[in-house]
């Protein structure tokens, strides 16, 4: 995919930047936003001209379809600035393609490449001062689309708004993570929208995750909706299990998101000579491996944290603590992947793209 600009995008700059009011050393993830946002509306069957304008609230009709029928999708990406001040993206074509797959599943129009990619390039160039150098510093990118057409009849909207907003971020630390294996609630179902980055997937997790928090756990490992015997995802992340020296992760499906970090870790692990098996992992396998000591690691994989180690899990009121690993696959793979993202190691895969 080329990041060359192929169309003009109108740019309206803020009169005064708010960047000097931001303490970049104490950022709370996803709470501070840059000066500008990209907006592009779909009306009368076509995409209008994109515009980059000052970040601000906007008005919607109370009957907008997004409020009533949940037509909303999003992506999560990051931009990195290295020592020579160049700005890099990590596998942006994967996010672009997945965004449009989500759009199709939610009966929304696909966003053209010149809107998504050219728009992303131009807003990043405009906001380059918000991207700080140094490993751990990033600019989190949130492309999203909502249904803005009015009317409460239960049918797809005819009008949509695509936007990109940006949030400076520090390294994502969540502390020790203990998880509860789901026995009743499910993240997604066969034939559903689990493989789409649809807003409803995430709001549906809030209640069972809150129940887990109340019980002293930080996240839930979701199981399949039909039998609750297959391990699928951890919180909002894909999940890996290390049993002895083999990594296991579930295959993508209608229920499981095709994570960009997930597929990158699989390729990276195989390059490092780690055996990776992509197959359904049973809860019973996990419990047996924990009991006999062959379960070495569990970790989540996603854009925000990259890799999130899990220290233990509970199933049927029994808690299993994981061992402390000196040769942690999770930490080693995270280090190698982030070194590629920050151009501190050779990108033998061709994943990084300069803006």
């Amino acid at each position: 995919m080329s990041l060359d600009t192929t169309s003009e995008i109108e740019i309206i700059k803020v009169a005064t930047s708010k960047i000097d009011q931001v303490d970049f050393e104490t950022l709370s993830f996803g709470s501070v936003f840059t000066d500008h946002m990209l907006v592009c509306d779909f009306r009368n069957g076509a995409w209008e001209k994109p515009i980059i304008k000052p970040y601000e609230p906007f008005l919607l009709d109370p009957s907008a379809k997004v409020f009533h029928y949940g037509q909303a999708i999003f992506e999560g990406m990051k931009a990195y600035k290295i020592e020579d001040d160049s700005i890099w993206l990590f596998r942006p074509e994967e996010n672009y393609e997945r965004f449009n797959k989500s759009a199709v599943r939610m009966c929304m129009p696909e966003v053209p490449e010149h809107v998504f990619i050219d728009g992303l390039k131009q807003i990043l160039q405009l906001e380059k001062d918000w991207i700080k150098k140094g490993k751990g510093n990033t600019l989190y990118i949130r492309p999203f689309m909502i249904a803005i057409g009015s009317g409460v009849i239960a049918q797809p909207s005819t009008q949509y708004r695509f936007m990109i907003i940006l949030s400076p971020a520090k390294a994502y630390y969540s502390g020790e993570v203990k998880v509860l294996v789901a026995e009743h609630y499910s993240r997604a179902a066969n034939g559903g929208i689990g493989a789409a980055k649809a807003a409803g997937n995430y709001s549906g997790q809030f209640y069972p995750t809150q129940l887990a928090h109340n019980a002293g756990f930080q996240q839930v490992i979701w199981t399949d909706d039909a039998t609750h015997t297959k391990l699928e995802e951890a919180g909002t992340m894909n999940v890996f299990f290390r049993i002895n020296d083999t990594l296991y992760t579930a295959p993508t499906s209608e229920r499981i998101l095709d994570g960009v970090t997930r597929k990158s870790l699989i390729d990276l692990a195989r390059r490092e000579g780690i055996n990776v098996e992509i197959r359904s992992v049973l809860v019973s396998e996990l419990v047996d491996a924990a009991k006999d000591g062959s379960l070495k690691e569990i970790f989540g994989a996603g854009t925000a944290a990259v890799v999130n180690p899990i220290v233990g899990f509970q199933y049927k009121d029994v808690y299993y603590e994981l061992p402390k690993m000196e040769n942690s696959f999770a930490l080693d793979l995270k280090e190698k992947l982030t070194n590629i993202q920050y151009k501190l190691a050779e990108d033998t895969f061709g994943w990084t793209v300069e803006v």
Side-chain angles (χ1 to χ4, degrees):
M1 171 179 287
S2 171
L3 284 188
D4 293 337
T5 301
T6 58
S7 66
E8 290 187 5
I9 295 176
E10 182 181 358
I11 299 178
I12 302 173
K13 295 184 179 180
V14 294
T16 304
S17 174
K18 60 177 182 267
I19 192 169
D20 292 338
Q21 303 170 25
V22 176
D23 182 354
F24 284 86
E25 296 303 315
T26 60
L27 291 169
S28 176
F29 185 82
S31 61
V32 174
F33 296 91
T34 65
D35 292 319
H36 300 89
M37 61 186 186
L38 180 139
V39 182
C40 186
D41 287 350
F42 180 90
R43 302 177 189 271
N44 301 315
W47 286 99
E48 298 178 348
K49 184 177 181 179
I51 180 171
I52 294 173
K53 58 189 293 188
Y55 184 98
E56 61 186 0
F58 56 88
L59 295 175
L60 287 180
D61 192 290
S63 71
K65 301 273 188 178
V66 65
F67 299 139
H68 301 272
Y69 302 111
Q71 276 188 292
I73 61 172
F74 68 94
E75 272 297 325
M77 310 166 65
K78 286 179 178 177
Y80 310 83
K81 181 184 284 185
I82 64 173
E83 286 306 309
D84 66 1
D85 289 326
S86 59
I87 298 168
W88 295 79
L89 294 167
F90 183 74
R91 307 188 76 174
E93 74 287 348
E94 295 285 347
N95 296 96
Y96 170 66
E97 291 172 5
R98 189 174 64 182
F99 188 87
N100 278 336
K101 287 180 181 178
S102 297
V104 169
R105 182 61 184 85
M106 297 299 290
C107 206
M108 304 170 84
E110 294 182 61
V111 176
E113 185 174 328
H114 77 268
V115 174
F116 191 107
I117 295 298
D118 291 1
L120 177 56
K121 176 182 178 182
Q122 291 201 34
I123 195 170
L124 286 176
Q125 290 174 334
L126 185 63
E127 305 285 54
K128 60 185 179 182
D129 290 343
W130 288 82
I131 315 174
K132 300 303 181 182
K133 291 185 286 189
K135 193 171 183 182
N137 295 317
T138 61
L139 188 66
Y140 183 77
I141 302 164
R142 173 52 62 92
F144 66 101
M145 178 164 52
I146 59 174
I148 60 172
S150 59
V152 295
I153 184 171
Q155 63 185 28
S157 178
T158 58
Q159 300 177 22
Y160 297 88
R161 179 162 295 165
F162 170 73
M163 300 184 65
I164 299 175
I165 57 177
L166 308 171
S167 178
K170 297 287 290 181
Y172 189 96
Y173 298 109
S174 58
E176 288 196 346
V177 176
K178 298 179 180 180
V179 298
L180 191 64
V181 176
E183 300 176 50
H184 173 71
Y185 295 101
S186 298
R187 176 189 175 273
N190 285 329
I193 59 172
K197 281 193 75 73
N201 285 342
Y202 296 80
S203 60
Q205 296 183 42
F206 292 163
Y207 177 66
T209 302
Q210 184 60 56
L211 294 179
H213 288 174
N214 294 343
F217 299 90
Q218 287 70 48
Q219 282 294 352
V220 176
I221 291 187
W222 306 105
T223 50
D224 68 289
D225 63 301
T227 67
H228 294 289
T229 61
K230 299 174 183 177
L231 299 157
E232 302 210 316
E233 292 191 338
T236 59
M237 309 176 79
N238 296 115
V239 65
F240 287 80
F241 307 94
R242 176 185 174 185
I243 299 177
N244 290 320
D245 286 332
T246 297
L247 276 183
Y248 298 87
T249 193
T252 56
S253 67
E254 289 181 311
R255 302 188 308 274
I256 297 176
L257 189 71
D258 186 12
V260 178
T261 304
R262 169 191 174 276
K263 65 177 65 177
S264 303
L265 290 174
I266 290 170
D267 290 345
L268 190 56
R270 286 174 170 165
R271 189 193 74 178
E272 297 301 308
I274 298 171
N275 185 42
V276 181
E277 290 192 19
I278 301 172
R279 67 166 176 83
S280 295
V281 179
L282 300 178
V283 178
S284 59
E285 288 183 82
L286 188 71
V287 170
D288 289 345
K291 288 179 177 178
D292 68 22
S294 59
L295 178 63
K296 307 300 183 184
E297 295 181 85
I298 305 174
F299 57 91
T303 299
V306 185
V307 168
N308 195 347
I310 292 168
V311 300
F313 72 94
Q314 181 167 300
Y315 180 65
K316 291 191 179 297
D317 297 323
V318 179
Y319 180 72
Y320 301 90
E321 187 82 18
L322 272 66
K324 303 290 185 183
M325 299 299 297
E326 291 185 5
N327 61 332
S328 166
F329 285 1
L331 297 182
D332 184 59
L333 290 173
K334 180 177 184 177
E335 179 75 6
K336 287 181 166 61
L337 184 57
T338 53
N339 281 346
I340 291 173
Q341 292 170 331
Y342 286 92
K343 307 298 288 183
L344 298 173
E346 182 183 1
D347 177 12
T348 60
F349 299 97
W351 287 335
T352 52
V353 179
E354 187 171 7
V355 173

